[in-house]
Amino acid sequence: MALKPTVLLYNFTDKRRRNQVNTFCAMHGIRVRTVEKEQYGRPVITLADKEAEALFAEFGEEDACDVGKEKPEGEPADFSEEMLVMCQIGSRMNGLLSYLRREKVIVPLKAVLTPVNQFWSSVELYRELRKEHEQMKGLEV
């Protein structure tokens, strides 16, 4: 399965910010996909890869990942914060991050698709990023 360079956008409701990400990605051959709330329970890999998406559709949610598992007490079932997930963009990642900083498009919740998180749902990834972000904020001086 050859994953094409893709950026997943969550909750980018501001058109200007979304267009800034789209501009960079279009210039660098990176596909952009906006993830809708009804897709949050699917494995992240299926949002970034058309072959994985087809397999997911063929075999069904319950066979693809632990989508149905209980959420921790007090944890949200979805989220409204912006989140950006970079999938297979390689060396273009530094360029994208520099561009976003230069254009003042601040997205605190960013991730790279990895073998560990590719089968997580978007909500699971969000929870983990949120937890890491809070820990990092606690370390700030």
Side-chain angles (χ1 to χ4, degrees):
M1 189 167 18
L3 181 61
K4 291 184 179 175
T6 304
V7 168
L8 302 175
L9 298 179
Y10 296 81
N11 301 311
F12 273 70
T13 56
D14 182 279
K15 187 176 180 179
R16 182 191 66 81
R17 293 168 58 77
R18 192 174 54 246
N19 286 344
Q20 287 176 300
V21 174
N22 284 328
T23 297
F24 178 91
C25 291
M27 292 182 342
H28 293 88
I30 301 170
R31 181 173 71 125
V32 176
R33 184 161 185 191
T34 299
V35 181
E36 303 298 333
K37 287 195 184 290
E38 52 272 7
Q39 298 172 309
Y40 285 10
R42 294 175 38 194
V44 176
I45 187 69
T46 67
L47 303 169
D49 183 68
K50 293 203 182 285
E51 290 179 36
E53 183 176 29
L55 283 172
F56 180 76
E58 182 179 334
F59 292 106
E61 291 183 22
E62 53 283 337
D63 295 330
C65 71
D66 293 328
V67 172
K69 70 183 178 184
E70 282 187 38
K71 63 182 179 73
E73 190 66 35
E75 292 288 335
D78 67 10
F79 56 96
S80 58
E81 290 177 80
E82 288 181 343
M83 183 168 79
L84 182 143
V85 181
M86 297 166 279
C87 311
Q88 208 66 30
I89 68 171
S91 61
R92 293 171 276 196
M93 180 176 68
N94 287 336
L96 173 60
L97 295 175
S98 294
Y99 173 80
L100 293 176
R101 252 190 319 274
R102 187 172 56 250
E103 296 298 315
K104 297 183 179 25
V105 178
I106 308 303
V107 184
L109 301 179
K110 292 180 285 298
V112 173
L113 186 71
T114 69
V116 172
N117 67 22
Q118 68 181 343
F119 297 111
W120 294 359
S121 72
S122 297
V123 174
E124 290 171 299
L125 180 57
Y126 165 78
R127 288 180 192 142
E128 187 61 30
L129 285 175
R130 194 80 206 120
K131 186 178 358 170
E132 290 174 9
H133 184 71
E134 290 301 318
Q135 288 173 342
M136 288 177 54
K137 279 178 34 180
L139 296 176
E140 291 178 6
V141 180

